[in-house]
PDB file of all heavy atoms in Angstrom:
ATOM      1  N   ARG A 232      -3.847  -0.033 -14.120  1.00 96.00           N
ATOM      2  CA  ARG A 232      -3.278   1.296 -14.270  1.00 96.00           C
ATOM      3  C   ARG A 232      -3.137   2.007 -12.959  1.00 96.00           C
ATOM      4  O   ARG A 232      -2.100   2.632 -12.658  1.00 96.00           O
ATOM      5  CB  ARG A 232      -4.079   2.124 -15.269  1.00 96.00           C
ATOM      6  CG  ARG A 232      -3.507   3.481 -15.511  1.00 96.00           C
ATOM      7  CD  ARG A 232      -4.214   4.125 -16.714  1.00 96.00           C
ATOM      8  NE  ARG A 232      -4.436   5.548 -16.506  1.00 96.00           N
ATOM      9  CZ  ARG A 232      -4.899   6.411 -17.376  1.00 96.00           C
ATOM     10  NH1 ARG A 232      -5.351   5.897 -18.559  1.00 96.00           N
ATOM     11  NH2 ARG A 232      -5.025   7.650 -17.195  1.00 96.00           N
ATOM     12  N   THR A 233      -4.163   2.002 -12.180  1.00 95.00           N
ATOM     13  CA  THR A 233      -4.030   2.615 -10.819  1.00 95.00           C
ATOM     14  C   THR A 233      -3.056   1.968  -9.901  1.00 95.00           C
ATOM     15  O   THR A 233      -2.408   2.630  -9.156  1.00 95.00           O
ATOM     16  CB  THR A 233      -5.504   2.611 -10.153  1.00 95.00           C
ATOM     17  OG1 THR A 233      -5.940   1.326 -10.064  1.00 95.00           O
ATOM     18  CG2 THR A 233      -6.430   3.493 -10.886  1.00 95.00           C
ATOM     19  N   THR A 234      -2.893   0.694 -10.019  1.00 97.00           N
ATOM     20  CA  THR A 234      -1.957  -0.008  -9.109  1.00 97.00           C
ATOM     21  C   THR A 234      -0.522   0.215  -9.571  1.00 97.00           C
ATOM     22  O   THR A 234       0.408   0.347  -8.695  1.00 97.00           O
ATOM     23  CB  THR A 234      -2.184  -1.544  -9.169  1.00 97.00           C
ATOM     24  OG1 THR A 234      -3.560  -1.769  -8.716  1.00 97.00           O
ATOM     25  CG2 THR A 234      -1.207  -2.263  -8.206  1.00 97.00           C
ATOM     26  N   PHE A 235      -0.268   0.280 -10.879  1.00 96.00           N
ATOM     27  CA  PHE A 235       1.114   0.333 -11.370  1.00 96.00           C
ATOM     28  C   PHE A 235       1.485   1.710 -11.972  1.00 96.00           C
ATOM     29  O   PHE A 235       2.507   1.871 -12.535  1.00 96.00           O
ATOM     30  CB  PHE A 235       1.410  -0.710 -12.358  1.00 96.00           C
ATOM     31  CG  PHE A 235       1.302  -2.134 -11.766  1.00 96.00           C
ATOM     32  CD1 PHE A 235       0.121  -2.868 -11.966  1.00 96.00           C
ATOM     33  CD2 PHE A 235       2.318  -2.674 -11.012  1.00 96.00           C
ATOM     34  CE1 PHE A 235       0.008  -4.175 -11.430  1.00 96.00           C
ATOM     35  CE2 PHE A 235       2.207  -3.904 -10.412  1.00 96.00           C
ATOM     36  CZ  PHE A 235       1.037  -4.667 -10.645  1.00 96.00           C
ATOM     37  N   ALA A 236       0.614   2.696 -11.795  1.00 89.00           N
ATOM     38  CA  ALA A 236       0.847   4.035 -12.427  1.00 89.00           C
ATOM     39  C   ALA A 236       2.131   4.686 -11.697  1.00 89.00           C
ATOM     40  O   ALA A 236       2.840   5.411 -12.352  1.00 89.00           O
ATOM     41  CB  ALA A 236      -0.350   4.972 -12.207  1.00 89.00           C
ATOM     42  N   HIS A 237       2.321   4.392 -10.451  1.00 86.00           N
ATOM     43  CA  HIS A 237       3.445   5.007  -9.760  1.00 86.00           C
ATOM     44  C   HIS A 237       4.322   3.926  -9.124  1.00 86.00           C
ATOM     45  O   HIS A 237       5.045   4.274  -8.120  1.00 86.00           O
ATOM     46  CB  HIS A 237       2.922   5.955  -8.727  1.00 86.00           C
ATOM     47  CG  HIS A 237       2.097   7.103  -9.261  1.00 86.00           C
ATOM     48  ND1 HIS A 237       2.667   8.217  -9.781  1.00 86.00           N
ATOM     49  CD2 HIS A 237       0.837   7.166  -9.456  1.00 86.00           C
ATOM     50  CE1 HIS A 237       1.708   9.015 -10.212  1.00 86.00           C
ATOM     51  NE2 HIS A 237       0.531   8.416 -10.050  1.00 86.00           N
ATOM     52  N   SER A 238       4.197   2.732  -9.587  1.00 88.00           N
ATOM     53  CA  SER A 238       5.015   1.686  -8.965  1.00 88.00           C
ATOM     54  C   SER A 238       5.306   0.598  -9.899  1.00 88.00           C
ATOM     55  O   SER A 238       4.568   0.294 -10.790  1.00 88.00           O
ATOM     56  CB  SER A 238       4.196   1.015  -7.788  1.00 88.00           C
ATOM     57  OG  SER A 238       4.831  -0.084  -7.222  1.00 88.00           O
ATOM     58  N   ARG A 239       6.507   0.007  -9.781  1.00 94.00           N
ATOM     59  CA  ARG A 239       6.851  -1.153 -10.513  1.00 94.00           C
ATOM     60  C   ARG A 239       6.176  -2.333  -9.815  1.00 94.00           C
ATOM     61  O   ARG A 239       5.595  -2.223  -8.742  1.00 94.00           O
ATOM     62  CB  ARG A 239       8.361  -1.358 -10.596  1.00 94.00           C
ATOM     63  CG  ARG A 239       9.072  -0.250 -11.355  1.00 94.00           C
ATOM     64  CD  ARG A 239      10.520  -0.612 -11.555  1.00 94.00           C
ATOM     65  NE  ARG A 239      11.269   0.417 -12.339  1.00 94.00           N
ATOM     66  CZ  ARG A 239      12.483   0.306 -12.719  1.00 94.00           C
ATOM     67  NH1 ARG A 239      13.253  -0.793 -12.463  1.00 94.00           N
ATOM     68  NH2 ARG A 239      13.012   1.248 -13.483  1.00 94.00           N
ATOM     69  N   GLY A 240       6.272  -3.464 -10.447  1.00 97.00           N
ATOM     70  CA  GLY A 240       5.761  -4.722  -9.840  1.00 97.00           C
ATOM     71  C   GLY A 240       6.364  -5.938 -10.397  1.00 97.00           C
ATOM     72  O   GLY A 240       7.350  -5.881 -11.093  1.00 97.00           O
ATOM     73  N   VAL A 241       5.823  -7.058 -10.038  1.00 98.00           N
ATOM     74  CA  VAL A 241       6.264  -8.312 -10.501  1.00 98.00           C
ATOM     75  C   VAL A 241       5.065  -9.147 -11.025  1.00 98.00           C
ATOM     76  O   VAL A 241       3.992  -9.191 -10.431  1.00 98.00           O
ATOM     77  CB  VAL A 241       6.955  -9.166  -9.371  1.00 98.00           C
ATOM     78  CG1 VAL A 241       7.481 -10.488  -9.892  1.00 98.00           C
ATOM     79  CG2 VAL A 241       8.058  -8.382  -8.731  1.00 98.00           C
ATOM     80  N   VAL A 242       5.342  -9.747 -12.227  1.00 98.00           N
ATOM     81  CA  VAL A 242       4.268 -10.560 -12.869  1.00 98.00           C
ATOM     82  C   VAL A 242       4.799 -12.012 -12.917  1.00 98.00           C
ATOM     83  O   VAL A 242       5.847 -12.272 -13.368  1.00 98.00           O
ATOM     84  CB  VAL A 242       4.011 -10.016 -14.301  1.00 98.00           C
ATOM     85  CG1 VAL A 242       2.990 -11.023 -14.921  1.00 98.00           C
ATOM     86  CG2 VAL A 242       3.408  -8.642 -14.263  1.00 98.00           C
ATOM     87  N   TYR A 243       3.955 -12.914 -12.360  1.00 98.00           N
ATOM     88  CA  TYR A 243       4.285 -14.349 -12.366  1.00 98.00           C
ATOM     89  C   TYR A 243       3.329 -14.983 -13.371  1.00 98.00           C
ATOM     90  O   TYR A 243       2.096 -15.092 -13.117  1.00 98.00           O
ATOM     91  CB  TYR A 243       4.099 -14.904 -10.927  1.00 98.00           C
ATOM     92  CG  TYR A 243       4.956 -14.302  -9.929  1.00 98.00           C
ATOM     93  CD1 TYR A 243       4.529 -13.129  -9.205  1.00 98.00           C
ATOM     94  CD2 TYR A 243       6.182 -14.849  -9.581  1.00 98.00           C
ATOM     95  CE1 TYR A 243       5.344 -12.533  -8.257  1.00 98.00           C
ATOM     96  CE2 TYR A 243       6.987 -14.215  -8.602  1.00 98.00           C
ATOM     97  CZ  TYR A 243       6.520 -13.056  -7.968  1.00 98.00           C
ATOM     98  OH  TYR A 243       7.342 -12.429  -6.984  1.00 98.00           O
ATOM     99  N   VAL A 244       3.872 -15.475 -14.484  1.00 98.00           N
ATOM    100  CA  VAL A 244       3.115 -16.162 -15.540  1.00 98.00           C
ATOM    101  C   VAL A 244       3.260 -17.672 -15.343  1.00 98.00           C
ATOM    102  O   VAL A 244       4.385 -18.168 -15.529  1.00 98.00           O
ATOM    103  CB  VAL A 244       3.577 -15.756 -16.901  1.00 98.00           C
ATOM    104  CG1 VAL A 244       2.663 -16.461 -17.923  1.00 98.00           C
ATOM    105  CG2 VAL A 244       3.433 -14.162 -17.049  1.00 98.00           C
TER     106      VAL A 244
END
Side-chain angles (χ1 to χ4, degrees):
R232 184 167 142 177
T233 54
T234 302
F235 297 101
H237 301 274
S238 173
R239 295 187 177 187
V241 182
V242 175
Y243 300 86
V244 182

